[in-house]
Every structure is written in structure tokens, then in C-alpha cells.
Amino acid sequence: MNHAARRIGRSLALVLPVVLVLSGTLAVTHVPWAPAPADSPVLASSAHKASAPDASTPAGPATHRAPKDVLRDRLIAELQEQDPGVALTSLQRAITRKPSLARHCVSIARALGKAAVHKYGAQRAQRFSRPVCDTSFASGVAQLS
């Protein structure tokens, strides 16, 4: 009995590493490490939507805009249509959905603060301040006060 257990152990010791290496290699090949090709219809469609000219951009050839710029412009428009509180809530949600935008949160919140001062004046704009991106909104308000 001891001999059979030893033989099974040796077989597992030889086969198990091979199985683990092969399964790891197969798992890595299924991860999309490289970006999608430029002629991909999904990429082309999203690039077209992101770069389509609107009322705030001059007409002409479509140019690629960074996601942070698109978000900032959308939030400033939202601030103009509604109020800074709504825009700050949308900023927080956008960063929760797409954490890669978090590094731009300070600059976007500061831009929202400046836009709020232009719309409401410094004293009233300060009332909308929230702890989104620390105190960046308040900092944007203070810069124009």
C-alpha cells in the first residue's frame, strides 16, 4: 500500500506543475492585453461619438477628446442647466463607475467651482461645496473670489 501511495505522489508531482503552467498560459491568452485594432467597429463608433462636434466645440474635423475633458464639459453643462450640487453628485458617480478618472477629480471639481462662481457668485456658489475630491470645488470657488 505504501508503494502505491508513493507512486501516485510522484505522478502528481510531475503532472501537477505541467497542468498549472498550461492552465495559467491559457488564462493569460484570454485576457485582452493589447488594445482593440483601430478598424474595430466598436472602437470606431465610440471614437466618433466622443469626437462629434456639439454646440460647445467649433465645427470642423472631428478630433479625439480625452475622457476627462468630455466629463468636465458635460458636468459644467449640467451645472449650468441645474445646479452645482447635481454636477458634483454626477462627478462622484462617474468616478465610482470609472476609477481611472479619479486622478482628474481635483481639476474637474475645481473647474466646477469656477463655473459655479460665474453662475451664482462666490458666496452662493460656496453653499454647494461638498467633500467630493476633498475640497477642490471650494478651492475653485475661492480662486475667483
Side-chain angles (χ1 to χ4, degrees):
M1 187 68 169
N2 194 11
H3 180 67
R6 189 174 294 180
R7 193 166 25 154
I8 291 172
R10 284 183 184 166
S11 296
L12 282 176
L14 292 173
V15 173
L16 193 58
V18 172
V19 170
L20 290 174
V21 167
L22 287 176
S23 65
T25 302
L26 291 174
V28 169
T29 60
H30 290 321
V31 176
W33 295 103
D39 60 349
S40 168
V42 173
L43 183 60
S45 173
S46 65
H48 176 69
K49 287 179 186 174
S51 63
D54 59 13
S56 64
T57 58
T63 58
H64 177 71
R65 296 182 61 215
K68 70 176 178 94
D69 296 331
V70 172
L71 176 62
R72 183 194 63 234
D73 293 347
R74 182 176 60 83
L75 292 174
I76 289 175
E78 192 171 277
L79 181 146
Q80 298 299 330
E81 292 172 10
Q82 297 179 34
D83 67 59
V86 173
L88 287 170
T89 299
S90 295
L91 173 60
Q92 188 65 49
R93 286 184 184 143
I95 289 174
T96 301
R97 272 192 317 270
K98 193 170 181 183
S100 63
L101 291 170
R103 65 179 166 208
H104 305 292
C105 187
V106 169
S107 65
I108 294 171
R110 194 171 292 137
L112 289 174
K114 291 177 182 180
V117 169
H118 286 295
K119 182 175 181 182
Y120 295 102
Q123 192 170 14
R124 188 166 173 217
Q126 190 63 39
R127 294 181 194 157
F128 293 99
S129 189
R130 295 195 185 158
V132 177
C133 309
D134 295 323
T135 58
S136 301
F137 177 82
S139 172
V141 170
Q143 284 181 345
L144 295 180
S145 296

